[in-house]
Amino acid sequence: MPEDSTNSTANTAPDRPSGHACVQSYLPTLDNSPGVYRMLDAQGRVLYVGKARSLKKRVSSYAKPTGHTPRIARMIRETASMMFLTTRTETEALLLEQNLIKQLKPRYNVLLRDDKSFPNILVAKDHPFPQIKKHRGAKTEKGGYYGPFASAGAVNRTLNQLQKVFLLRSCTDATFESRTRPCLLYQIRRCSAPCVGKITQADYLATVADAERFLQGKSTGVQEQLARQMEEASEALEFERAAALRDRIRALTQVQQAQGINPRGVAEADVVALHMEGGQACVQVFFIRAHQNWGNRDYYPRTGAGADEAEVLQAFLGQFYDNKEPPRLILLSHGIEDEDLMAQALSEKAGRKVELSVPLRGEKAELVAGAARNARESLARRMAETATQAKLLAGLAEAFALDGPPQRIEVYDNSHIQGTNAVGAMIVAGADGFLKSQYRKFNIKGEELTPGDDFGMMKEVLTRRFKRLLKEDPDRESGAWPDLLLIDGGAGQISAVASIMAELGVEDIPVVGVAKGIDRDAGKEEFHRPGARPFALRHNDPVLYFVQRLRDEAHRFAIGAHRQKRAKAIGATPLDEIPGVGATRKRALLAHFGSAKAVSRAGLADLKAVEGISDAMAETIYGFFHATG
């Protein structure tokens, strides 16, 4: 949005009234311009972000003392100030509203919490023998993009089947150029080995064209063509080629069967269905592209303390397509309030017409009904899991004498090998299970630490974690503060942690150590709390299994972070430290000389002879290894 398309006004004076009187006080300053408004509480926290065709009319509706839903009435009572942004059009207001909701996460707005990008299949066209691969992110590479797919697993399954059918290469260009004989994929009939000339470029490109036709939904034509080629090969007594074509036809049939839903009358659409129950919501999205089902994913948006179905679905659409290209058709299970406006906003974003529809009969209605059934079943499973999780958290509170069930548990662990590549890890769990987006790893930086000093490493991790919390959220309003710390360790570790927390001035967060018991067997764990005797739980106590899962997840995450760091250290070379030497030049140097050590011993003339290394860069590399003084 252009900078001059909005104007902002706000009033947060301490003597301003709250509730309806506060809202009423803004009416004289407003006109009928479209725009976005924010409602804030006495502490300046944003309660709600909304858009309006006419700011004056919308705000006046809040100024009325009656006629509001319980949710809106609570929100108005808490309102102590408001902010306004005027826009040129209502469409701009809609887009700005969704951006602000995602950024500010107001309490009373519907919020889409899981907003990951989707992978695509890319047929890369920057090489004489195009590569087929999974792609996620900006579409900057030259080639054909096909998607979105609901998950990386859906892409991988499709790629695996496509390799069986079309035998396209999946290796990188560097690997392709370095091959001198076919790889294993050729032996198991997953690649035609263009790297070593087992197929001509013309034949390979014809196969690429077939693969793209399939991804465009023209699978019947591809299958008929393969069948004709098989018959021709059989008549020509080329039985080996005929058998290979037969296998490709079978693989193509398997792909079509695995996709399950393949609508004939819907070429391109997202099927979006909502189910709400018990104050919770699930939105199921199916991706239909080229008459094929490319997977589905469920979402659980926060319902803004009681929004209705139309509001939840409208907010979901605005936030879901904020960073994704919408298809030409979006099939909905429920109507939304501003359907025409949403269609216009999505059309402007896509640069072409986008249609929203709530089908009542036919194949489209069946697609929506299937998605709605999936949403209902997914929400039922989630609610059952949430109920179980709530019981476990209540049991944890009883076992560890907490004030109440913890809403955020942080579990800490360290991983290293004799002190090298040391990493600290924090995992987070709560009422919704493991919160993997909240996991954190800490590269241990303390140079004064003795290798293998677990106490020292834990001190560094906790100090960095809680100093940041104290700086960014001293009033503990963000929900990022834990209700319980679980530490992998016994009495000594807990004593050290207690002293660390005391130094930081954070002594009100319960800390529990989980130590292996007799013979270090699972099930015999001992639990340690500062100033209390260790204790154990019954061998078959569900809370014990829950704590074991938490500890094991922290251990898994810590080991994974350590292995990543160690692998990076093993793969590092002195070339990484030379200014101007990136991945391409590094690869060229290693390919020419064989090793970083050989590069360090090379003369200036030899360095200049490497393809892609300029005279100036050769002098930089030579100077790096032969610096004097």
Side-chain angles (χ1 to χ4, degrees):
M1 184 180 299
E3 292 182 1
D4 63 351
S5 67
T6 63
N7 295 301
S8 177
T9 61
N11 192 328
T12 57
D15 59 346
R16 178 171 290 278
S18 61
H20 294 285
C22 170
V23 177
Q24 180 77 37
S25 68
Y26 285 99
L27 290 178
T29 66
L30 298 175
D31 57 23
N32 289 317
S33 300
V36 173
Y37 57 93
R38 281 177 271 184
M39 308 178 83
L40 295 82
D41 65 11
Q43 286 74 42
R45 293 172 297 197
V46 179
L47 297 171
Y48 184 78
V49 174
K51 62 101 182 123
R53 180 176 302 165
S54 165
L55 284 170
K56 189 177 186 71
K57 290 181 180 178
R58 177 58 59 87
V59 174
S60 65
S61 70
Y62 290 120
K64 298 176 183 178
T66 59
H68 304 292
T69 64
R71 163 176 167 257
I72 299 301
R74 289 197 308 272
M75 179 182 74
I76 294 173
R77 283 196 300 270
E78 295 179 32
T79 300
S81 63
M82 297 185 70
M83 297 181 67
F84 303 94
L85 288 158
T86 59
T87 59
R88 285 189 294 256
T89 66
E90 191 181 2
T91 303
E92 284 185 356
L94 175 64
L95 297 174
L96 179 58
E97 174 199 34
Q98 300 305 328
N99 286 334
L100 288 174
I101 290 172
K102 293 177 70 174
Q103 176 186 344
L104 301 174
K105 299 178 176 57
R107 176 184 172 188
Y108 286 98
N109 279 101
V110 175
L111 180 65
L112 175 59
R113 289 175 285 191
D114 181 10
D115 192 23
K116 298 177 181 176
S117 63
F118 295 104
N120 290 265
I121 286 178
L122 169 61
V123 181
K125 301 291 184 64
D126 55 355
H127 192 277
F129 292 90
Q131 172 195 12
I132 187 168
K133 61 182 178 179
K134 177 173 62 179
H135 176 87
R136 192 191 292 270
K139 298 178 180 180
T140 56
E141 293 186 55
K142 182 181 177 181
Y145 292 87
Y146 301 93
F149 287 80
S151 65
V155 170
N156 292 335
R157 286 191 296 272
T158 303
L159 283 174
N160 184 48
Q161 296 295 340
L162 287 175
Q163 284 181 289
K164 290 181 182 179
V165 178
F166 301 107
L167 309 182
L168 302 185
R169 73 175 182 94
S170 58
C171 59
T172 65
D173 292 349
T175 301
F176 181 93
E177 301 298 340
S178 65
R179 296 299 305 181
T180 57
R181 57 182 180 178
C183 66
L184 179 62
L185 289 176
Y186 174 76
Q187 307 297 335
I188 62 174
R189 297 181 182 179
R190 296 289 188 278
C191 181
S192 54
C195 54
V196 291
K198 294 292 184 180
I199 184 173
T200 66
Q201 183 179 6
D203 288 343
Y204 185 83
L205 292 177
T207 308
V208 170
D210 286 343
E212 293 198 273
R213 286 172 59 208
F214 171 78
L215 290 169
Q216 292 164 359
K218 303 172 183 176
S219 56
T220 303
V222 174
Q223 206 158 359
E224 292 173 353
Q225 181 179 339
L226 291 174
R228 287 196 301 271
Q229 292 175 357
M230 183 179 68
E231 291 176 4
E232 293 170 359
S234 180
E235 291 173 359
L237 305 181
E238 297 176 359
F239 299 117
E240 185 174 346
R241 180 167 176 265
L245 290 166
R246 177 202 62 201
D247 292 342
R248 290 174 65 184
I249 293 172
R250 287 179 178 173
L252 185 56
T253 303
Q254 289 176 359
V255 174
Q256 295 165 334
Q257 291 174 346
Q259 289 170 339
I261 303 172
N262 293 296
R264 295 182 179 181
V266 181
E268 176 187 333
D270 284 351
V271 185
V272 183
L274 167 69
H275 181 75
M276 293 182 65
E277 184 177 340
Q280 299 186 49
C282 176
V283 179
Q284 190 80 211
V285 183
F286 277 77
F287 302 97
I288 307 297
R289 298 294 185 273
H291 297 279
Q292 304 169 56
N293 172 29
W294 282 356
N296 62 293
R297 184 181 290 185
D298 48 4
Y299 294 86
Y300 301 92
R302 191 187 69 190
T303 57
D308 61 19
E309 292 172 331
E311 185 177 352
V312 170
L313 195 55
Q314 176 163 316
F316 175 85
L317 292 173
Q319 295 173 50
F320 183 74
Y321 291 110
D322 178 58
N323 61 349
K324 302 175 185 67
E325 182 178 347
R328 299 179 185 277
L329 175 64
I330 301 174
L331 300 176
L332 303 177
S333 60
H334 299 76
I336 61 176
E337 181 181 350
D338 299 311
E339 183 174 315
D340 292 341
L341 181 64
M342 181 64 70
Q344 181 181 347
L346 295 179
S347 297
E348 289 183 7
K349 176 180 175 58
R352 51 175 165 72
K353 184 179 179 181
V354 174
E355 179 186 355
L356 303 182
S357 174
V358 183
L360 301 178
R361 61 183 65 86
E363 186 179 38
K364 294 176 181 177
E366 292 175 4
L367 289 173
V368 172
R373 183 178 63 254
N374 274 270
R376 182 175 62 253
E377 294 171 354
S378 296
L379 184 58
R381 286 193 297 270
R382 182 180 177 88
M383 293 176 70
E385 292 168 359
T386 301
T388 301
Q389 188 79 355
K391 291 180 181 178
L392 290 172
L393 293 173
L396 195 67
E398 182 180 354
F400 295 160
L402 307 178
D403 294 336
Q407 298 304 303
R408 181 184 174 95
I409 305 169
E410 293 185 357
V411 191
Y412 291 86
D413 195 8
N414 297 323
S415 184
H416 59 89
I417 295 179
Q418 296 181 342
T420 62
N421 301 312
V423 174
M426 177 192 84
I427 67 133
V428 181
D432 294 329
F434 291 115
L435 307 177
K436 296 192 175 182
S437 63
Q438 310 268 327
Y439 287 14
R440 297 293 181 267
K441 62 181 178 181
F442 301 82
N443 289 315
I444 304 300
K445 302 175 181 177
E447 297 179 358
E448 71 282 357
L449 290 178
T450 303
D453 180 4
D454 286 331
F455 290 169
M457 286 188 281
M458 185 59 68
K459 180 176 182 178
E460 179 178 332
V461 169
L462 291 175
T463 299
R464 287 165 57 186
R465 167 66 178 155
F466 284 94
K467 275 189 174 181
R468 182 167 185 174
L469 277 179
L470 287 166
K471 179 181 178 181
E472 297 181 353
D473 184 24
D475 298 326
R476 306 191 185 188
E477 297 175 347
S478 66
W481 282 81
D483 303 311
L484 173 66
L485 300 186
L486 287 181
I487 308 296
D488 186 21
Q493 196 83 335
I494 283 300
S495 177
V497 169
S499 64
I500 295 166
M501 301 299 282
E503 289 178 16
L504 294 168
V506 184
E507 301 181 68
D508 58 335
I509 298 178
V511 180
V512 176
V514 185
K516 293 286 180 66
I518 302 172
D519 300 325
R520 301 183 64 80
D521 286 342
K524 299 181 180 179
E525 285 83 359
E526 288 186 344
F527 300 97
H528 298 261
R529 291 176 297 178
R533 297 183 60 182
F535 65 99
L537 297 174
R538 296 192 321 272
H539 182 70
N540 60 349
D541 193 330
V543 174
L544 175 60
Y545 298 143
F546 179 49
V547 175
Q548 288 173 350
R549 282 171 49 212
L550 293 173
R551 180 201 58 200
D552 293 345
E553 173 69 0
H555 195 54
R556 177 201 66 78
F557 184 61
I559 289 176
H562 165 71
R563 286 175 175 166
Q564 288 179 353
K565 186 174 181 180
R566 187 177 64 191
K568 187 175 181 180
I570 290 173
T573 74
L575 301 179
D576 296 322
E577 302 176 17
I578 304 175
V581 175
T584 302
R585 285 171 173 160
K586 178 182 173 182
R587 187 162 54 243
L589 289 166
L590 292 175
H592 187 91
F593 292 104
S595 69
K597 189 173 184 179
V599 175
S600 70
R601 294 175 175 176
L604 184 58
D606 295 328
L607 291 169
K608 291 180 179 180
V610 178
E611 184 177 356
I613 302 297
S614 64
D615 291 352
M617 179 53 63
E619 291 175 1
T620 299
I621 297 169
Y622 185 82
F624 178 84
F625 289 112
H626 299 84
T628 59

